[in-house]
Amino acid sequence: MHAGVAAQARRADLRKPRRHTMHISLRQLRVFEAVANNHSYTRAAEELHLSQPAVSMQVRQLEDAIGLLLFERLGKQIVATAAGRELYYYSRAINRSLSEMEEVMESLKGLNRGSLQIAVASTVNYFAPRLLAVFHQRYPGIGLRLDVTNRETLVQMLDSNSVDLVLMGVPPKNVDVESEAFMDNPLVVIAPPDHPLANAHQIPIERLAEEIFVMREAGSGTRQAMERFFSERGLSIRHGMQMTRNEAVKQAVRSGLGLSVVSLHTIELELETRRLVTLDVEGFPDRRQWYLVYRRGKRLSPAASAFRDFVLSEAAGITAPPGSSGKPTRA
Ligand code: PGA
């Protein structure tokens, strides 16, 4: 049957009056949400580790139960109909409550069991494993999962309540979150040891405007801070290459591709071995903070609360970068 005709026939079929209450399963809602998020049956199937026909069937059964079409095809994309958009709103609320319910049930198991999912910004990964190691020694029964990802994904994870705690540089403004500073994050200007400015003192910031800078990607917190630092002083940065990893930025600076601004946490080894140097520039180090962030109103499980207390009281002592006071300087 022609696709348009098939859709019409299906619409007519769905419109037949139904008197029964809707029989919707949680599984169908999970599948529905994955299709809506991915705009594709195939990608949803991959995400859920199901076959594509299984995903289509779940959506079809959900449409039958509701009596309305939930998706339509726009070219190659699958988009939600008005009914689909409404359902998406409720489905997300239900799925959020479900994960909260799981967390509460988990919490009743106490600190000897349970699991903890932590997501961190890429720069945090320079010290997060050390924190997890100490925490794990103290609470060996708690299963730990660490996701290292970019800022945009961290914000999505907070929004969808799919993570217990996030460690990041700039708490998001568009999601309602609690954020607590736990450690200094000094940003420094790095250069190769043979750079003409390597031994200079009190370099005026205007002098840096003449240099090329290796940049992190647009979503990076380090980059945001660097751009703000320069623009607040009425200066613009001369962009060189762009890299999505601190490691790549450091290699590029070592190879003479330009200067850069990075967190002191990322260059411990390079400073020790003098593969890189920090420049003595007016206004640097730029003192920022690391934050522990979670959704406002979230009920933290005992495992998550224990990790929060641990980070706030001990992280700075365990992983502060050299030369930093460690403890956050509260504004
Ligand atoms: P990032 O670090 O640059 O790796 O995103 C987070 C931050 O400093 O805000």
Side-chain angles (χ1 to χ4, degrees):
M1 207 184 319
H2 183 266
V5 180
Q8 243 174 32
R10 186 146 164 68
R11 233 173 251 132
D13 183 42
L14 289 172
R15 248 183 254 125
K16 284 184 192 147
R18 285 170 171 73
R19 276 182 212 94
H20 57 263
T21 44
M22 290 179 193
H23 290 293
I24 293 175
S25 73
L26 294 171
R27 182 180 162 77
Q28 284 166 348
L29 288 182
R30 282 218 178 96
V31 171
F32 163 78
E33 210 176 305
V35 175
N37 285 337
N38 288 290
H39 300 287
S40 148
Y41 289 104
T42 314
R43 281 201 297 275
E46 279 164 18
E47 185 181 302
L48 299 167
H49 306 291
L50 293 173
S51 69
Q52 202 262 10
V55 167
S56 318
M57 180 153 81
Q58 294 282 339
V59 172
R60 233 186 132 85
Q61 286 172 351
L62 187 60
E63 288 179 330
D64 284 340
I66 291 174
L68 289 165
L69 277 184
L70 298 172
F71 294 108
E72 53 199 0
R73 195 170 271 287
L74 253 187
K76 281 200 174 153
Q77 282 226 322
I78 303 288
V79 293
T81 59
R85 287 197 297 275
E86 284 292 330
L87 184 68
Y88 185 71
Y89 170 83
Y90 289 105
S91 161
R92 270 171 54 104
I94 290 167
N95 282 332
R96 254 188 221 153
S97 295
L98 260 186
S99 52
E100 196 172 313
M101 180 193 81
E102 278 165 13
E103 281 156 18
V104 172
M105 294 300 121
E106 204 54 38
S107 75
L108 296 174
K109 296 176 188 165
L111 282 172
N112 296 324
R113 297 177 57 183
S115 62
L116 188 56
Q117 195 186 340
I118 296 154
V120 303
S122 55
T123 302
V124 175
N125 199 35
Y126 282 83
F127 61 82
R130 250 177 292 165
L131 292 182
L132 293 194
V134 178
F135 187 77
H136 177 67
Q137 267 180 355
R138 210 166 292 170
Y139 303 105
I142 298 175
L144 296 170
R145 183 173 149 190
L146 177 69
D147 276 319
V148 183
T149 184
N150 63 24
R151 180 184 162 73
E152 197 181 323
T153 314
L154 289 177
V155 175
Q156 274 169 17
M157 287 173 129
L158 284 165
D159 190 33
S160 61
N161 198 20
S162 56
V163 65
D164 292 304
L165 298 166
V166 167
L167 305 181
M168 66 196 303
V170 191
K173 295 213 166 58
N174 54 345
V175 182
D176 200 13
V177 293
E178 299 278 0
S179 61
E180 299 168 279
F182 66 89
M183 182 161 62
D184 265 355
N185 172 23
L187 293 190
V188 290
V189 183
I190 53 167
D194 57 358
H195 193 276
L197 294 175
N199 296 314
H201 295 291
Q202 292 283 302
I203 305 164
I205 182 76
E206 291 75 17
R207 170 68 184 79
L208 285 199
E210 295 167 26
E211 298 284 330
I212 303 269
F213 277 81
V214 179
M215 304 295 291
R216 280 284 304 278
E217 78 282 8
S220 144
T222 309
R223 174 168 170 160
Q224 260 182 29
M226 172 180 178
E227 285 176 336
R228 189 168 328 118
F229 187 94
F230 277 78
S231 72
E232 276 171 4
R233 288 158 180 81
L235 298 167
S236 52
I237 305 171
R238 292 176 65 193
H239 288 203
M241 285 190 196
Q242 178 175 309
M243 325 238 153
T244 52
R245 295 269 182 281
N246 284 304
E247 286 307 308
V249 168
K250 291 189 295 184
Q251 292 298 337
V253 172
R254 270 187 74 191
S255 314
L257 287 170
L259 304 180
S260 194
V261 172
V262 295
S263 163
L264 196 50
H265 286 280
T266 65
I267 49 167
E268 233 172 276
L269 283 180
E270 285 77 6
L271 291 184
E272 257 172 52
T273 52
R274 265 193 75 82
R275 287 187 188 144
L276 289 171
V277 293
T278 58
L279 297 187
D280 179 9
V281 180
E282 272 172 13
F284 280 95
D286 179 15
R287 299 224 164 262
R288 298 176 68 227
Q289 319 282 320
W290 290 119
Y291 290 87
L292 178 130
V293 185
Y294 52 95
R295 271 188 77 88
R296 193 183 301 276
K298 184 176 176 67
R299 295 176 58 165
L300 295 185
S301 66
S305 288
F307 190 74
R308 171 183 168 270
D309 295 347
F310 165 72
V311 167
L312 295 183
S313 59
E314 295 182 52
I318 298 170
T319 64
S324 152
S325 65
K327 283 276 178 201
T329 31
R330 288 178 198 279

